[in-house]
Amino acid sequence: MAKERDQNTKDKNLLICFFWNFSAELKLILMALLVLCTLATLLPFIPSSFSISASELRFCISRIAASDAVNSTSSVAVSVVEKQQLDNGVIQRPLTDKPELDNGVIKQPFTEKPTVLNHGVIKRSFTGYGWAAYNFVLMNAYRGGVNTFAVIGLSSKPLHVYAHPSYRCEWVPLNQSDNRVLTDGTKILTDWGYGRVYTTVVVNCTFPSTVNPKNSGGTLLLHATTGDADRNITDSIPVLTETQNAVAFDLYGSDRRREKYDYLYCGSSLYGNLSPQRVREWIAYHARFFGERSHFVLHDAGGIQEEVLEVLRPWIELGRVTVHDIRDQERFDGYYHNQFMVVNDCLHRYRFEAKWIFFFDVDEFIYIPPKNTISSVMESLEEYSQFTIEQMPMSSQLCFSGDGPARTYRKWGFEKLAYRDVKKVPRRDRKYAVQPRNVYATGVHMSQNLQGKTYHRAEGKIRYFHYHGSISQRREPCRHLFNGTRIVFDNNPYVLDTTMRDIGLAVKTFEIRTIGDRLLRTRQ
């Protein structure tokens, strides 16, 4: 009996040792059984329409295989080029070196073709070239004259800090018997000091003579070289295509009568939860201020939501407003929703359509003192390529209650926000306007890349009232009501300024006469 007990004990110990040594494998087996049981339980609930055919499975496998083949081919090509050590020490990337030709015609169009959505908004696209933080992200390119072009996009800021990127421009004629033309590109970093992962780059391509003189068409290539000491890479990017007889060369002459607008507004990136009522007030005020020969270009970075679009729609239908959907630029981390790139694209896109282009924000209102008009002021500044506009800072929460609280709340924002900040500061931000034909690249508060003179003392002729932050508040802006002409709030001195308040009735009347009463029920 004792021997049997000893044998049983040995068998138990052996079993315990077995389970102990193979516990990890047993756990995996149990987990697999649990998963299979779960799938068997859920299988009856899966819709019968969901299925994967054998052909679809083969297609997926073939795509993966093709991708691996392309990757391996590309890596082999790069290694071969590295071994060859090109004369200029630059590695040319494959596939983008030349546009594909078919009997002298480029098969793939490279010019951006904006998609116009049903509600009148232009959908813009952004194409990245390179690896990791892209070498270059193309927004668009524009002809700037008979022999010059501008290419607008983003580039990796660390690349510009730690390497020496450079750009070359090449014109490839559609007619293969014509010679290609190559020139150095001049890069302009308009937001230097502000850029984040990406910085805005405007490349000026100026050729020694007229490009495409026979108007036979061609493609502009931008050769973007990283300038990296370890791995000097060049991306050859097709940025602009001109079809046959597509260029109106007389547009680039000195005759200014062809310009479509006297004044064009280039707006910065609009984002956040914008107030429909504040946008309504802003567009009605400036449509009246600038007159019929004016146009407003707004850039939607997520701020033009459906309620805001309803406010803009009457003006879009009249041809007074164009909205560009730039939400895709959020994929690239640049300063202030890539504001610098957006305003430079607007400058070059409409460069030959307006005599003057204004740059300011939708919480700012341009004002000209009485006895002057926008026409007389702009005529007096015509000898300048640029002039800056002084700021009049207004409170965005202090309201004048002289009409009684009930009537005050029914007024428009710029009527009741009537207290001006008079605290003395060294300098306040200015906004500006330019004659676009004289400007190569632009900024937010002024341009530093232009030919001609700049005027900085126009405060007696033109100013702007700034209601900082009021546009992003979808609520009643009045937080405090006052009835005095001079007050101190939060240790800041304010004075009552009724300049904008006095214009309110004229703006409302103009809106009714122009688009009717369709916006009367607009909410904050």
Side-chain angles (χ1 to χ4, degrees), residues 284-315:
Y285 175 90
H286 288 98
R288 174 182 178 271
F289 176 83
F290 285 113
E292 292 184 359
R293 282 182 53 82
S294 63
H295 194 76
F296 302 87
V297 180
L298 305 176
H299 296 92
D300 176 21
I304 300 183
Q305 301 172 13
E306 185 58 34
E307 299 91 338
V308 178
L309 188 60
E310 286 298 319
V311 169
L312 295 174
R313 185 167 285 117
W315 302 101

PDB file of all heavy atoms in Angstrom, residues 284-315:
ATOM      1  N   ALA A 284     -20.984  92.717 -44.534  1.00  0.00           N
ATOM      2  CA  ALA A 284     -21.879  93.800 -44.968  1.00  0.00           C
ATOM      3  C   ALA A 284     -21.167  95.147 -44.882  1.00  0.00           C
ATOM      4  O   ALA A 284     -21.281  95.984 -45.794  1.00  0.00           O
ATOM      5  CB  ALA A 284     -23.148  93.810 -44.111  1.00  0.00           C
ATOM      6  N   TYR A 285     -20.435  95.367 -43.812  1.00  0.00           N
ATOM      7  CA  TYR A 285     -19.719  96.628 -43.632  1.00  0.00           C
ATOM      8  C   TYR A 285     -18.700  96.837 -44.759  1.00  0.00           C
ATOM      9  O   TYR A 285     -18.647  97.907 -45.378  1.00  0.00           O
ATOM     10  CB  TYR A 285     -19.020  96.642 -42.276  1.00  0.00           C
ATOM     11  CG  TYR A 285     -18.163  97.865 -42.054  1.00  0.00           C
ATOM     12  CD1 TYR A 285     -18.690  99.010 -41.476  1.00  0.00           C
ATOM     13  CD2 TYR A 285     -16.821  97.888 -42.441  1.00  0.00           C
ATOM     14  CE1 TYR A 285     -17.913 100.151 -41.280  1.00  0.00           C
ATOM     15  CE2 TYR A 285     -16.035  99.012 -42.253  1.00  0.00           C
ATOM     16  CZ  TYR A 285     -16.588 100.134 -41.671  1.00  0.00           C
ATOM     17  OH  TYR A 285     -15.804 101.259 -41.492  1.00  0.00           O
ATOM     18  N   HIS A 286     -17.897  95.828 -45.040  1.00  0.00           N
ATOM     19  CA  HIS A 286     -16.815  96.018 -46.009  1.00  0.00           C
ATOM     20  C   HIS A 286     -17.289  95.948 -47.456  1.00  0.00           C
ATOM     21  O   HIS A 286     -16.664  96.554 -48.342  1.00  0.00           O
ATOM     22  CB  HIS A 286     -15.698  95.003 -45.748  1.00  0.00           C
ATOM     23  CG  HIS A 286     -14.909  95.306 -44.514  1.00  0.00           C
ATOM     24  ND1 HIS A 286     -15.142  94.698 -43.319  1.00  0.00           N
ATOM     25  CD2 HIS A 286     -13.902  96.195 -44.300  1.00  0.00           C
ATOM     26  CE1 HIS A 286     -14.306  95.172 -42.405  1.00  0.00           C
ATOM     27  NE2 HIS A 286     -13.540  96.089 -42.973  1.00  0.00           N
ATOM     28  N   ALA A 287     -18.383  95.236 -47.724  1.00  0.00           N
ATOM     29  CA  ALA A 287     -18.950  95.273 -49.073  1.00  0.00           C
ATOM     30  C   ALA A 287     -19.414  96.686 -49.401  1.00  0.00           C
ATOM     31  O   ALA A 287     -19.257  97.156 -50.536  1.00  0.00           O
ATOM     32  CB  ALA A 287     -20.111  94.287 -49.184  1.00  0.00           C
ATOM     33  N   ARG A 288     -19.968  97.355 -48.415  1.00  0.00           N
ATOM     34  CA  ARG A 288     -20.358  98.764 -48.606  1.00  0.00           C
ATOM     35  C   ARG A 288     -19.135  99.665 -48.673  1.00  0.00           C
ATOM     36  O   ARG A 288     -19.059 100.577 -49.510  1.00  0.00           O
ATOM     37  CB  ARG A 288     -21.270  99.207 -47.452  1.00  0.00           C
ATOM     38  CG  ARG A 288     -21.619 100.692 -47.451  1.00  0.00           C
ATOM     39  CD  ARG A 288     -22.488 101.045 -46.246  1.00  0.00           C
ATOM     40  NE  ARG A 288     -22.779 102.477 -46.227  1.00  0.00           N
ATOM     41  CZ  ARG A 288     -22.018 103.387 -45.627  1.00  0.00           C
ATOM     42  NH1 ARG A 288     -20.900 103.004 -44.982  1.00  0.00           N
ATOM     43  NH2 ARG A 288     -22.344 104.661 -45.657  1.00  0.00           N
ATOM     44  N   PHE A 289     -18.155  99.425 -47.815  1.00  0.00           N
ATOM     45  CA  PHE A 289     -16.975 100.292 -47.708  1.00  0.00           C
ATOM     46  C   PHE A 289     -16.157 100.282 -49.001  1.00  0.00           C
ATOM     47  O   PHE A 289     -15.775 101.337 -49.519  1.00  0.00           O
ATOM     48  CB  PHE A 289     -16.120  99.820 -46.530  1.00  0.00           C
ATOM     49  CG  PHE A 289     -14.832 100.568 -46.361  1.00  0.00           C
ATOM     50  CD1 PHE A 289     -14.803 101.784 -45.695  1.00  0.00           C
ATOM     51  CD2 PHE A 289     -13.642 100.062 -46.875  1.00  0.00           C
ATOM     52  CE1 PHE A 289     -13.617 102.481 -45.547  1.00  0.00           C
ATOM     53  CE2 PHE A 289     -12.453 100.757 -46.733  1.00  0.00           C
ATOM     54  CZ  PHE A 289     -12.436 101.970 -46.062  1.00  0.00           C
ATOM     55  N   PHE A 290     -15.879  99.100 -49.550  1.00  0.00           N
ATOM     56  CA  PHE A 290     -15.008  98.996 -50.726  1.00  0.00           C
ATOM     57  C   PHE A 290     -15.749  99.204 -52.045  1.00  0.00           C
ATOM     58  O   PHE A 290     -15.116  99.463 -53.064  1.00  0.00           O
ATOM     59  CB  PHE A 290     -14.302  97.635 -50.747  1.00  0.00           C
ATOM     60  CG  PHE A 290     -13.187  97.518 -49.750  1.00  0.00           C
ATOM     61  CD1 PHE A 290     -13.272  96.644 -48.678  1.00  0.00           C
ATOM     62  CD2 PHE A 290     -12.032  98.277 -49.880  1.00  0.00           C
ATOM     63  CE1 PHE A 290     -12.232  96.520 -47.764  1.00  0.00           C
ATOM     64  CE2 PHE A 290     -10.989  98.172 -48.974  1.00  0.00           C
ATOM     65  CZ  PHE A 290     -11.090  97.290 -47.910  1.00  0.00           C
ATOM     66  N   GLY A 291     -17.055  99.067 -52.051  1.00  0.00           N
ATOM     67  CA  GLY A 291     -17.814  99.316 -53.269  1.00  0.00           C
ATOM     68  C   GLY A 291     -17.962  98.085 -54.156  1.00  0.00           C
ATOM     69  O   GLY A 291     -17.470  96.996 -53.847  1.00  0.00           O
ATOM     70  N   GLU A 292     -18.644  98.295 -55.284  1.00  0.00           N
ATOM     71  CA  GLU A 292     -19.004  97.178 -56.149  1.00  0.00           C
ATOM     72  C   GLU A 292     -17.801  96.530 -56.822  1.00  0.00           C
ATOM     73  O   GLU A 292     -17.813  95.335 -57.105  1.00  0.00           O
ATOM     74  CB  GLU A 292     -20.003  97.648 -57.217  1.00  0.00           C
ATOM     75  CG  GLU A 292     -21.374  98.025 -56.646  1.00  0.00           C
ATOM     76  CD  GLU A 292     -22.364  98.382 -57.739  1.00  0.00           C
ATOM     77  OE1 GLU A 292     -21.962  98.345 -58.929  1.00  0.00           O
ATOM     78  OE2 GLU A 292     -23.520  98.691 -57.413  1.00  0.00           O
ATOM     79  N   ARG A 293     -16.759  97.294 -57.105  1.00  0.00           N
ATOM     80  CA  ARG A 293     -15.577  96.724 -57.779  1.00  0.00           C
ATOM     81  C   ARG A 293     -14.588  96.176 -56.741  1.00  0.00           C
ATOM     82  O   ARG A 293     -13.406  96.479 -56.757  1.00  0.00           O
ATOM     83  CB  ARG A 293     -14.922  97.760 -58.672  1.00  0.00           C
ATOM     84  CG  ARG A 293     -15.657  97.970 -59.985  1.00  0.00           C
ATOM     85  CD  ARG A 293     -14.943  98.985 -60.861  1.00  0.00           C
ATOM     86  NE  ARG A 293     -13.533  98.676 -61.076  1.00  0.00           N
ATOM     87  CZ  ARG A 293     -13.074  97.809 -61.981  1.00  0.00           C
ATOM     88  NH1 ARG A 293     -13.914  97.152 -62.757  1.00  0.00           N
ATOM     89  NH2 ARG A 293     -11.764  97.613 -62.124  1.00  0.00           N
ATOM     90  N   SER A 294     -15.129  95.371 -55.847  1.00  0.00           N
ATOM     91  CA  SER A 294     -14.284  94.740 -54.822  1.00  0.00           C
ATOM     92  C   SER A 294     -14.690  93.279 -54.704  1.00  0.00           C
ATOM     93  O   SER A 294     -15.778  92.876 -55.126  1.00  0.00           O
ATOM     94  CB  SER A 294     -14.436  95.446 -53.474  1.00  0.00           C
ATOM     95  OG  SER A 294     -15.768  95.332 -52.986  1.00  0.00           O
ATOM     96  N   HIS A 295     -13.789  92.485 -54.116  1.00  0.00           N
ATOM     97  CA  HIS A 295     -14.049  91.057 -53.958  1.00  0.00           C
ATOM     98  C   HIS A 295     -13.359  90.579 -52.683  1.00  0.00           C
ATOM     99  O   HIS A 295     -12.311  91.108 -52.289  1.00  0.00           O
ATOM    100  CB  HIS A 295     -13.531  90.275 -55.166  1.00  0.00           C
ATOM    101  CG  HIS A 295     -14.043  88.870 -55.228  1.00  0.00           C
ATOM    102  ND1 HIS A 295     -15.322  88.568 -55.624  1.00  0.00           N
ATOM    103  CD2 HIS A 295     -13.443  87.682 -54.930  1.00  0.00           C
ATOM    104  CE1 HIS A 295     -15.494  87.256 -55.585  1.00  0.00           C
ATOM    105  NE2 HIS A 295     -14.364  86.697 -55.155  1.00  0.00           N
ATOM    106  N   PHE A 296     -13.944  89.537 -52.061  1.00  0.00           N
ATOM    107  CA  PHE A 296     -13.436  89.033 -50.783  1.00  0.00           C
ATOM    108  C   PHE A 296     -13.130  87.546 -50.916  1.00  0.00           C
ATOM    109  O   PHE A 296     -14.003  86.752 -51.289  1.00  0.00           O
ATOM    110  CB  PHE A 296     -14.464  89.264 -49.671  1.00  0.00           C
ATOM    111  CG  PHE A 296     -14.834  90.708 -49.494  1.00  0.00           C
ATOM    112  CD1 PHE A 296     -15.854  91.274 -50.259  1.00  0.00           C
ATOM    113  CD2 PHE A 296     -14.150  91.510 -48.599  1.00  0.00           C
ATOM    114  CE1 PHE A 296     -16.190  92.606 -50.112  1.00  0.00           C
ATOM    115  CE2 PHE A 296     -14.476  92.850 -48.454  1.00  0.00           C
ATOM    116  CZ  PHE A 296     -15.494  93.395 -49.218  1.00  0.00           C
ATOM    117  N   VAL A 297     -11.880  87.172 -50.616  1.00  0.00           N
ATOM    118  CA  VAL A 297     -11.438  85.783 -50.680  1.00  0.00           C
ATOM    119  C   VAL A 297     -11.202  85.295 -49.252  1.00  0.00           C
ATOM    120  O   VAL A 297     -10.331  85.815 -48.545  1.00  0.00           O
ATOM    121  CB  VAL A 297     -10.150  85.640 -51.514  1.00  0.00           C
ATOM    122  CG1 VAL A 297      -9.716  84.178 -51.567  1.00  0.00           C
ATOM    123  CG2 VAL A 297     -10.361  86.192 -52.917  1.00  0.00           C
ATOM    124  N   LEU A 298     -12.000  84.331 -48.823  1.00  0.00           N
ATOM    125  CA  LEU A 298     -11.916  83.787 -47.473  1.00  0.00           C
ATOM    126  C   LEU A 298     -11.366  82.373 -47.538  1.00  0.00           C
ATOM    127  O   LEU A 298     -11.650  81.617 -48.483  1.00  0.00           O
ATOM    128  CB  LEU A 298     -13.294  83.789 -46.805  1.00  0.00           C
ATOM    129  CG  LEU A 298     -14.011  85.141 -46.759  1.00  0.00           C
ATOM    130  CD1 LEU A 298     -15.400  84.980 -46.152  1.00  0.00           C
ATOM    131  CD2 LEU A 298     -13.206  86.156 -45.965  1.00  0.00           C
ATOM    132  N   HIS A 299     -10.588  81.981 -46.528  1.00  0.00           N
ATOM    133  CA  HIS A 299      -9.943  80.668 -46.498  1.00  0.00           C
ATOM    134  C   HIS A 299     -10.435  79.890 -45.279  1.00  0.00           C
ATOM    135  O   HIS A 299     -10.176  80.275 -44.131  1.00  0.00           O
ATOM    136  CB  HIS A 299      -8.425  80.827 -46.460  1.00  0.00           C
ATOM    137  CG  HIS A 299      -7.878  81.469 -47.704  1.00  0.00           C
ATOM    138  ND1 HIS A 299      -7.689  82.825 -47.826  1.00  0.00           N
ATOM    139  CD2 HIS A 299      -7.489  80.928 -48.890  1.00  0.00           C
ATOM    140  CE1 HIS A 299      -7.211  83.103 -49.024  1.00  0.00           C
ATOM    141  NE2 HIS A 299      -7.071  81.967 -49.687  1.00  0.00           N
ATOM    142  N   ASP A 300     -11.140  78.803 -45.541  1.00  0.00           N
ATOM    143  CA  ASP A 300     -11.775  78.014 -44.493  1.00  0.00           C
ATOM    144  C   ASP A 300     -10.832  76.930 -43.984  1.00  0.00           C
ATOM    145  O   ASP A 300     -10.590  75.930 -44.662  1.00  0.00           O
ATOM    146  CB  ASP A 300     -13.062  77.382 -45.045  1.00  0.00           C
ATOM    147  CG  ASP A 300     -13.727  76.459 -44.043  1.00  0.00           C
ATOM    148  OD1 ASP A 300     -13.450  76.606 -42.833  1.00  0.00           O
ATOM    149  OD2 ASP A 300     -14.522  75.590 -44.454  1.00  0.00           O
ATOM    150  N   ALA A 301     -10.312  77.142 -42.774  1.00  0.00           N
ATOM    151  CA  ALA A 301      -9.473  76.143 -42.116  1.00  0.00           C
ATOM    152  C   ALA A 301     -10.261  75.405 -41.028  1.00  0.00           C
ATOM    153  O   ALA A 301      -9.681  74.881 -40.084  1.00  0.00           O
ATOM    154  CB  ALA A 301      -8.229  76.800 -41.507  1.00  0.00           C
ATOM    155  N   GLY A 302     -11.583  75.372 -41.180  1.00  0.00           N
ATOM    156  CA  GLY A 302     -12.451  74.709 -40.216  1.00  0.00           C
ATOM    157  C   GLY A 302     -13.416  75.654 -39.536  1.00  0.00           C
ATOM    158  O   GLY A 302     -14.298  75.210 -38.791  1.00  0.00           O
ATOM    159  N   GLY A 303     -13.296  76.962 -39.782  1.00  0.00           N
ATOM    160  CA  GLY A 303     -14.134  77.943 -39.093  1.00  0.00           C
ATOM    161  C   GLY A 303     -15.430  78.282 -39.817  1.00  0.00           C
ATOM    162  O   GLY A 303     -16.366  78.786 -39.201  1.00  0.00           O
ATOM    163  N   ILE A 304     -15.491  78.018 -41.127  1.00  0.00           N
ATOM    164  CA  ILE A 304     -16.711  78.350 -41.867  1.00  0.00           C
ATOM    165  C   ILE A 304     -17.638  77.144 -41.803  1.00  0.00           C
ATOM    166  O   ILE A 304     -17.683  76.303 -42.700  1.00  0.00           O
ATOM    167  CB  ILE A 304     -16.393  78.758 -43.326  1.00  0.00           C
ATOM    168  CG1 ILE A 304     -15.473  79.978 -43.328  1.00  0.00           C
ATOM    169  CG2 ILE A 304     -17.666  79.073 -44.091  1.00  0.00           C
ATOM    170  CD1 ILE A 304     -15.147  80.512 -44.700  1.00  0.00           C
ATOM    171  N   GLN A 305     -18.379  77.075 -40.721  1.00  0.00           N
ATOM    172  CA  GLN A 305     -19.338  76.004 -40.533  1.00  0.00           C
ATOM    173  C   GLN A 305     -20.650  76.374 -41.219  1.00  0.00           C
ATOM    174  O   GLN A 305     -20.785  77.439 -41.812  1.00  0.00           O
ATOM    175  CB  GLN A 305     -19.521  75.722 -39.047  1.00  0.00           C
ATOM    176  CG  GLN A 305     -18.209  75.325 -38.370  1.00  0.00           C
ATOM    177  CD  GLN A 305     -18.298  75.227 -36.874  1.00  0.00           C
ATOM    178  OE1 GLN A 305     -19.390  75.221 -36.309  1.00  0.00           O
ATOM    179  NE2 GLN A 305     -17.149  75.192 -36.201  1.00  0.00           N
ATOM    180  N   GLU A 306     -21.641  75.494 -41.150  1.00  0.00           N
ATOM    181  CA  GLU A 306     -22.855  75.665 -41.951  1.00  0.00           C
ATOM    182  C   GLU A 306     -23.558  76.987 -41.668  1.00  0.00           C
ATOM    183  O   GLU A 306     -24.012  77.669 -42.587  1.00  0.00           O
ATOM    184  CB  GLU A 306     -23.811  74.490 -41.676  1.00  0.00           C
ATOM    185  CG  GLU A 306     -25.058  74.508 -42.555  1.00  0.00           C
ATOM    186  CD  GLU A 306     -24.740  74.490 -44.041  1.00  0.00           C
ATOM    187  OE1 GLU A 306     -23.755  73.854 -44.439  1.00  0.00           O
ATOM    188  OE2 GLU A 306     -25.495  75.132 -44.813  1.00  0.00           O
ATOM    189  N   GLU A 307     -23.623  77.397 -40.392  1.00  0.00           N
ATOM    190  CA  GLU A 307     -24.307  78.657 -40.065  1.00  0.00           C
ATOM    191  C   GLU A 307     -23.564  79.860 -40.635  1.00  0.00           C
ATOM    192  O   GLU A 307     -24.189  80.833 -41.076  1.00  0.00           O
ATOM    193  CB  GLU A 307     -24.445  78.806 -38.546  1.00  0.00           C
ATOM    194  CG  GLU A 307     -25.264  77.718 -37.873  1.00  0.00           C
ATOM    195  CD  GLU A 307     -24.392  76.563 -37.420  1.00  0.00           C
ATOM    196  OE1 GLU A 307     -23.275  76.403 -37.969  1.00  0.00           O
ATOM    197  OE2 GLU A 307     -24.818  75.823 -36.508  1.00  0.00           O
ATOM    198  N   VAL A 308     -22.234  79.797 -40.622  1.00  0.00           N
ATOM    199  CA  VAL A 308     -21.437  80.883 -41.203  1.00  0.00           C
ATOM    200  C   VAL A 308     -21.577  80.896 -42.715  1.00  0.00           C
ATOM    201  O   VAL A 308     -21.681  81.959 -43.344  1.00  0.00           O
ATOM    202  CB  VAL A 308     -19.960  80.757 -40.780  1.00  0.00           C
ATOM    203  CG1 VAL A 308     -19.116  81.849 -41.423  1.00  0.00           C
ATOM    204  CG2 VAL A 308     -19.832  80.808 -39.260  1.00  0.00           C
ATOM    205  N   LEU A 309     -21.600  79.713 -43.321  1.00  0.00           N
ATOM    206  CA  LEU A 309     -21.767  79.622 -44.772  1.00  0.00           C
ATOM    207  C   LEU A 309     -23.111  80.197 -45.206  1.00  0.00           C
ATOM    208  O   LEU A 309     -23.213  80.821 -46.275  1.00  0.00           O
ATOM    209  CB  LEU A 309     -21.633  78.176 -45.220  1.00  0.00           C
ATOM    210  CG  LEU A 309     -21.586  77.937 -46.732  1.00  0.00           C
ATOM    211  CD1 LEU A 309     -20.387  78.655 -47.358  1.00  0.00           C
ATOM    212  CD2 LEU A 309     -21.533  76.449 -47.032  1.00  0.00           C
ATOM    213  N   GLU A 310     -24.154  80.023 -44.396  1.00  0.00           N
ATOM    214  CA  GLU A 310     -25.460  80.597 -44.711  1.00  0.00           C
ATOM    215  C   GLU A 310     -25.394  82.120 -44.765  1.00  0.00           C
ATOM    216  O   GLU A 310     -26.070  82.758 -45.574  1.00  0.00           O
ATOM    217  CB  GLU A 310     -26.495  80.151 -43.665  1.00  0.00           C
ATOM    218  CG  GLU A 310     -26.934  78.704 -43.797  1.00  0.00           C
ATOM    219  CD  GLU A 310     -27.612  78.422 -45.129  1.00  0.00           C
ATOM    220  OE1 GLU A 310     -28.407  79.275 -45.582  1.00  0.00           O
ATOM    221  OE2 GLU A 310     -27.327  77.367 -45.731  1.00  0.00           O
ATOM    222  N   VAL A 311     -24.574  82.711 -43.917  1.00  0.00           N
ATOM    223  CA  VAL A 311     -24.400  84.165 -43.913  1.00  0.00           C
ATOM    224  C   VAL A 311     -23.662  84.619 -45.177  1.00  0.00           C
ATOM    225  O   VAL A 311     -23.961  85.683 -45.748  1.00  0.00           O
ATOM    226  CB  VAL A 311     -23.639  84.605 -42.641  1.00  0.00           C
ATOM    227  CG1 VAL A 311     -23.205  86.047 -42.744  1.00  0.00           C
ATOM    228  CG2 VAL A 311     -24.508  84.387 -41.410  1.00  0.00           C
ATOM    229  N   LEU A 312     -22.698  83.816 -45.618  1.00  0.00           N
ATOM    230  CA  LEU A 312     -21.887  84.189 -46.776  1.00  0.00           C
ATOM    231  C   LEU A 312     -22.578  83.882 -48.101  1.00  0.00           C
ATOM    232  O   LEU A 312     -22.243  84.489 -49.131  1.00  0.00           O
ATOM    233  CB  LEU A 312     -20.548  83.457 -46.727  1.00  0.00           C
ATOM    234  CG  LEU A 312     -19.621  83.805 -45.560  1.00  0.00           C
ATOM    235  CD1 LEU A 312     -18.403  82.892 -45.579  1.00  0.00           C
ATOM    236  CD2 LEU A 312     -19.184  85.262 -45.621  1.00  0.00           C
ATOM    237  N   ARG A 313     -23.517  82.947 -48.094  1.00  0.00           N
ATOM    238  CA  ARG A 313     -24.097  82.478 -49.354  1.00  0.00           C
ATOM    239  C   ARG A 313     -24.704  83.598 -50.201  1.00  0.00           C
ATOM    240  O   ARG A 313     -24.494  83.613 -51.430  1.00  0.00           O
ATOM    241  CB  ARG A 313     -25.129  81.380 -49.074  1.00  0.00           C
ATOM    242  CG  ARG A 313     -25.688  80.768 -50.348  1.00  0.00           C
ATOM    243  CD  ARG A 313     -26.444  79.494 -50.088  1.00  0.00           C
ATOM    244  NE  ARG A 313     -25.540  78.377 -49.818  1.00  0.00           N
ATOM    245  CZ  ARG A 313     -25.488  77.707 -48.678  1.00  0.00           C
ATOM    246  NH1 ARG A 313     -26.273  78.042 -47.684  1.00  0.00           N
ATOM    247  NH2 ARG A 313     -24.641  76.713 -48.515  1.00  0.00           N
ATOM    248  N   PRO A 314     -25.450  84.557 -49.655  1.00  0.00           N
ATOM    249  CA  PRO A 314     -25.986  85.629 -50.516  1.00  0.00           C
ATOM    250  C   PRO A 314     -24.887  86.411 -51.232  1.00  0.00           C
ATOM    251  O   PRO A 314     -25.063  86.811 -52.397  1.00  0.00           O
ATOM    252  CB  PRO A 314     -26.749  86.517 -49.528  1.00  0.00           C
ATOM    253  CG  PRO A 314     -27.052  85.645 -48.366  1.00  0.00           C
ATOM    254  CD  PRO A 314     -25.919  84.700 -48.268  1.00  0.00           C
ATOM    255  N   TRP A 315     -23.776  86.614 -50.555  1.00  0.00           N
ATOM    256  CA  TRP A 315     -22.673  87.373 -51.163  1.00  0.00           C
ATOM    257  C   TRP A 315     -21.913  86.519 -52.171  1.00  0.00           C
ATOM    258  O   TRP A 315     -21.392  87.041 -53.176  1.00  0.00           O
ATOM    259  CB  TRP A 315     -21.740  87.881 -50.065  1.00  0.00           C
ATOM    260  CG  TRP A 315     -22.443  88.747 -49.066  1.00  0.00           C
ATOM    261  CD1 TRP A 315     -22.873  88.388 -47.827  1.00  0.00           C
ATOM    262  CD2 TRP A 315     -22.820  90.117 -49.246  1.00  0.00           C
ATOM    263  NE1 TRP A 315     -23.492  89.449 -47.204  1.00  0.00           N
ATOM    264  CE2 TRP A 315     -23.470  90.524 -48.049  1.00  0.00           C
ATOM    265  CE3 TRP A 315     -22.674  91.043 -50.271  1.00  0.00           C
ATOM    266  CZ2 TRP A 315     -23.961  91.806 -47.878  1.00  0.00           C
ATOM    267  CZ3 TRP A 315     -23.164  92.326 -50.099  1.00  0.00           C
ATOM    268  CH2 TRP A 315     -23.809  92.698 -48.922  1.00  0.00           C
TER     269      TRP A 315
END
